[in-house]
Structure formats: C-alpha cells, structure tokens
Amino acid sequence: MNSAIVRNLLVRGMLAGLAAGLLALVVSYFLGEPSVDAAIAFEEAHAHGGEHGEELVSRTMQSTAGLSTGVLVYGVAFGGIAALAYCFALGRIGRFGPRASALLLAAAGLIAVFLVPFLKYPAQPPAVGDPDTVGQRTALYFLMVVLSVLLAVATVILGKRLVPRLGNWNATLAAGAFFVLVVGFAYAFLPSYNNVPEHFPAAVLWEFRLAALAVQVTLWTAFGLVFGVLAERVLAPRTAAPGEPAGQAAPVPH
C-alpha cells in the first residue's frame, strides 16, 4: 500500500473518528452525565466535615464544553490510530472488502481495547475508589489494555497458522479458546480493587458503567460503519462509465 493511500485513509479515519465522537458525545451526555451528577452529590454529602475543595472548573463547564472537547479530540485521535491499524491489517485478516474489514477491525478493537480491560477494571464514577491507589489502578488498567491488544494480534497470527492444518472453522475456535484462556490467566493473576463505599447507591454505579459501555459501543460501531464507506471510496474500483473498460481503479484523491 503506497503512502498516498495511507495518507488518504488516515485523513478519512480521523473524519470517521470525529463523526463517531459526535454520536458518542450525545450518548455520554444523556446517559453518563446524570449518574456522574448523582455520584458527585453522594461525594459532597459524605465529605468529611462538610468541607468541599475549591471548584476550579464549574460542573456546567465540565459537562458541556469540557466533555465535548475531550470526547471529540479523543474521537479524532482514536480514528487516526484505528485507520493506521486498518492499513496494517488490510489483506492480512482474510479476503474481506473495505467495509467488512472496517467492521471487523472495529469489533476487534472494541473487544481488545475496551471490553477485556473493562471487565477486569470497570469504569468508576466520582466518589468511588481510594485516591491513594489511583496511580496504581491506572497503570494496571493500561497494562491490561496493552496485554489485550498484543494477545489479540497473537490470536490472529495463531489462527492464520492453524488454518492449513485445522481448516477455517476449527482454527478460529482454537485461536478464540487461546485468547479466552490467556485473558482468564491475566484476570486471575492481576490484582483487583473493590473500593466502592459501603453506602454508595448500587443503581448509580450500574448506570454509570452501562453508560461507559454504551459510549464505547457507539464510538466503535459508528467508526466501523462510517470509515468502511470512506475507505471503500479510496480502495474499491469505481463503476466504469460508458466507453471505459470495467474494473478501472478509482484515482486516489490528493
């Protein structure tokens, strides 16, 4: 794949990430913010001595401009990285078209980058978690992300090598079992944290984590659908016009 195509896919990946970020922003605002507000109210009600730290940024600013900036910037960066991963994976994961490849990449990314780490270290709203362990919990979460991504790559490589010996179906099952087994070992050996305050509302915690899951599912799904369409315009042959030979490749835009 030449550099012009990679550049075009990178730009389209960032645009797809921006579009996915807009949808994720809507989901985050309507599903996530109410549980964040409830968690903050709990934290303030149970603050020692009724004292609260000085609020440097208002809650209104955090839930509007701050949330929008964070989600959209993340969407653009996420889209660019995913597009580069798409360029690397294209043709190496099977004979799939641009749209199918984008959706497969999105599904794999959702599982490896978010779902596997999330099941071990789920998202926590304000007032949940010991402040003294924030650094350690953050490091462990990103370690789980790195392990999951590397394991996903190893699983794909293993599956491809097993195909000549076992066939597509059995090779896929064997590689999937390998992935689940190693993830299970990681879950068992990495430390866990249960720092939920005794009287913290279980419904708020549940709603917050469901909202975090909904945001990521929206982000990855929207990216896969939008980027698949945009990538197809770069990679797939255009329909031949009258008088032109069929199957002529579409020119790469600059």
Side-chain angles (χ1 to χ4, degrees):
M1 186 178 294
N2 62 53
S3 59
I5 294 178
V6 172
R7 183 176 65 250
N8 278 279
L9 288 174
L10 175 62
V11 172
R12 283 158 176 76
M14 295 171 71
L15 291 175
L18 178 61
L22 286 170
L23 292 176
L25 174 62
V26 174
V27 174
S28 179
Y29 183 79
F30 286 104
L31 294 185
E33 287 303 304
S35 57
V36 171
D37 289 335
I40 291 175
F42 174 88
E43 185 178 34
E44 292 176 346
H46 292 78
H48 295 291
E51 296 180 359
H52 307 295
E54 182 181 356
E55 190 177 56
L56 300 178
V57 181
S58 69
R59 176 65 188 136
T60 301
M61 181 66 70
Q62 293 174 17
S63 63
T64 53
L67 178 65
S68 301
T69 301
V71 172
L72 295 180
V73 169
Y74 174 81
V76 172
F78 146 82
I81 295 172
L84 293 177
Y86 179 86
C87 293
F88 176 80
L90 198 63
R92 293 183 171 89
I93 57 175
R95 296 184 178 182
F96 299 101
R99 293 193 190 192
S101 296
L103 286 174
L104 285 173
L105 175 68
L110 176 63
I111 293 171
V113 177
F114 174 73
L115 189 58
V116 170
F118 176 82
L119 292 176
K120 176 64 177 177
Y121 301 111
Q124 296 185 343
V128 174
D130 183 357
D132 295 334
T133 64
V134 169
Q136 186 176 7
R137 285 188 282 121
T138 302
L140 286 170
Y141 178 82
F142 282 108
L143 173 61
M144 193 70 225
V145 172
V146 172
L147 287 175
S148 180
V149 171
L150 293 177
L151 182 57
V153 174
T155 299
V156 172
I157 295 173
L158 175 63
K160 289 178 69 68
R161 292 187 176 181
L162 290 176
V163 166
R165 190 176 304 174
L166 302 179
N168 287 327
W169 179 253
N170 290 330
T172 301
L173 291 178
F178 165 78
F179 181 84
V180 172
L181 181 64
V182 178
V183 167
F185 277 117
Y187 281 5
F189 287 103
L190 288 175
S192 300
Y193 292 93
N194 183 17
N195 297 321
V196 180
E198 182 179 356
H199 301 293
F200 190 86
V204 173
L205 183 62
W206 177 248
E207 289 169 3
F208 180 84
R209 289 175 175 173
L210 279 182
L213 178 61
V215 168
Q216 291 295 324
V217 169
T218 300
L219 185 71
W220 285 95
T221 303
F223 173 80
L225 292 172
V226 175
F227 182 67
V229 173
L230 297 179
E232 188 175 52
R233 295 180 180 179
V234 175
L235 299 171
R238 65 184 174 89
T239 303
E244 290 184 348
Q248 182 177 347
V252 178
H254 294 279

